[in-house]
Amino acid sequence: MIVLNHKMAKSYQESIFWMHENKLNLLNLSKKTGQEIIICLSFDALAEAVKIFEETTIKIGAQNCSSYNLGAYTGEVAAISLKEMGVDYCIIGHSERRNLFGETNQDIANKFKLLNQNNIAPIVCIGETQEEKENRMTFEVISSQLDLLMEVIAQNALDNFVDGDLLSVARPNKKITELIIAYEPVWAIGTNQTPDAVYVSKIIAWLNTYFNVAMPGIKTKILYGGSIDPETAKKFSKVNDLSGFLLGRASLDFQTIEKIVLSK
Ligand code: PGA
């Protein structure tokens, strides 16, 4: 899986131009390699992007959604609206949202719940800062970023308990069967610094242990993000249980995307 996070790098018109310009190349690449490619855009470009890639293998994702359901929340965009627009994925918990816009783990858990309710797959970003890494707090931080999500997943499993006749809720949520995590060390985002393959392997091994304990039976896809370019993609190509990459800067240039996809 390759997630292209365009952030707010392009204006509305530039985004639309980029998609028309790269549509055929992206379609050929996904066909040739069988890679799932997801383009994550700002809200303004989503509806047009869905039209451009309608009935193709390329999927469209948002970069954020409201942590509230419909209501008096000026300036927000609800998960249900994203679904109605034809969006299939949504990045949540990106470090830029946590750091620049003060998003908390509770906000992210609320978004996670609303996205699942609306049948949009959340791509949950987690990762430690440089300081947390130096203080050997990586696992503590990642676990605090995941714990509330586990509560949502546990409640979802209970709401979908097979003998639903005894439940007061009428199975309101689709059963969560898969979780997509993007491990993005904050110190690697936009810095050209990347961890080595051993470091990423250790994080993935820890995550697999955490998920086996916290949510057995749920499939996980773990992606890596943070200064991915063709060289680093190659470096990580042998890492066990790594399901793909989340690209920031590299996502803006088709030739770079192609090299990254082909390095896997
Ligand atoms: P980068 O961004 O590839 O430009 O480091 C990754 C991200 O922010 O998700």
Side-chain angles (χ1 to χ4, degrees):
M1 175 180 268
I2 299 289
V3 179
L4 310 179
N5 178 13
H6 276 201
K7 309 195 181 190
M8 203 177 72
K10 291 186 181 294
S11 73
Y12 169 72
Q13 296 229 350
E14 287 169 349
S15 285
I16 307 303
F17 181 81
W18 188 93
M19 284 183 282
H20 283 298
E21 201 186 21
N22 293 290
K23 180 179 173 177
L24 276 183
N25 280 337
L26 287 166
L27 288 175
N28 286 337
L29 183 63
S30 94
K31 209 162 127 196
K32 191 165 77 182
T33 59
Q35 278 287 329
E36 272 177 271
I37 300 179
I38 301 157
I39 312 176
C40 295
L41 299 159
S42 324
F43 292 130
D44 47 80
L46 289 173
E48 193 62 27
V50 168
K51 260 196 244 159
I52 294 171
F53 289 100
E54 201 164 19
E55 286 175 29
T56 71
T57 49
I58 308 289
K59 300 292 170 214
I60 302 302
Q63 299 170 2
N64 183 26
C65 72
S66 180
S67 54
Y68 296 97
N69 222 329
L70 295 175
Y73 303 103
T74 304
E76 291 284 276
V77 177
I80 188 171
S81 304
L82 296 177
K83 188 68 207 173
E84 287 174 2
M85 288 163 81
V87 167
D88 290 316
Y89 292 87
C90 182
I91 295 173
I92 51 173
H94 192 282
S95 69
E96 285 151 17
R97 297 229 44 99
R98 292 178 192 264
N99 299 336
L100 301 172
F101 302 98
E103 276 187 17
T104 64
N105 288 324
Q106 184 62 59
D107 297 330
I108 293 154
N110 293 348
K111 293 176 190 208
F112 180 77
K113 186 172 168 185
L114 288 165
L115 288 167
N116 281 304
Q117 280 172 0
N118 287 289
N119 211 4
I120 294 176
I123 299 167
V124 184
C125 298
I126 57 170
E128 79 287 7
T129 61
Q130 178 76 38
E131 196 187 345
E132 288 159 348
K133 176 174 169 265
E134 279 162 14
N135 291 329
R136 295 172 181 264
M137 286 172 65
T138 299
F139 293 142
E140 215 172 309
V141 169
I142 297 177
S143 125
S144 73
Q145 291 170 335
L146 290 169
D147 288 346
L148 290 174
L149 305 186
M150 296 306 114
E151 286 179 25
V152 176
I153 290 175
Q155 189 57 53
N156 175 276
L158 292 172
D159 290 348
N160 280 284
F161 180 66
V162 67
D163 192 354
D165 293 349
L166 299 175
L167 293 170
S168 62
V169 283
R171 295 191 200 179
N173 305 336
K174 191 176 154 276
K175 193 161 195 264
I176 297 173
T177 55
E178 191 183 74
L179 178 64
I180 306 171
I181 293 290
Y183 169 63
E184 302 204 296
V186 179
W187 49 272
I189 295 177
T191 57
N192 290 329
Q193 258 187 289
T194 50
D196 60 27
V198 174
Y199 189 87
V200 174
S201 298
K202 282 184 191 169
I203 302 284
I204 293 179
W206 185 91
L207 285 171
N208 281 335
T209 307
Y210 176 98
F211 291 135
N212 282 337
V213 174
M215 43 164 234
I218 301 219
K219 276 192 286 177
T220 47
K221 274 194 182 134
I222 302 173
L223 315 177
Y224 169 84
S227 291
I228 275 287
D229 60 19
E231 238 166 76
T232 44
K234 203 173 214 122
K235 185 169 85 174
F236 293 147
S237 65
K238 298 277 174 309
V239 172
N240 271 344
D241 293 332
L242 187 61
S243 299
F245 298 119
L246 194 158
L247 317 181
R249 280 159 306 163
S251 73
L252 299 167
D253 174 58
F254 177 76
Q255 267 73 40
T256 310
I257 298 168
E258 186 177 38
K259 281 190 201 141
I260 290 169
V261 170
L262 295 177
S263 73
K264 284 208 83 214

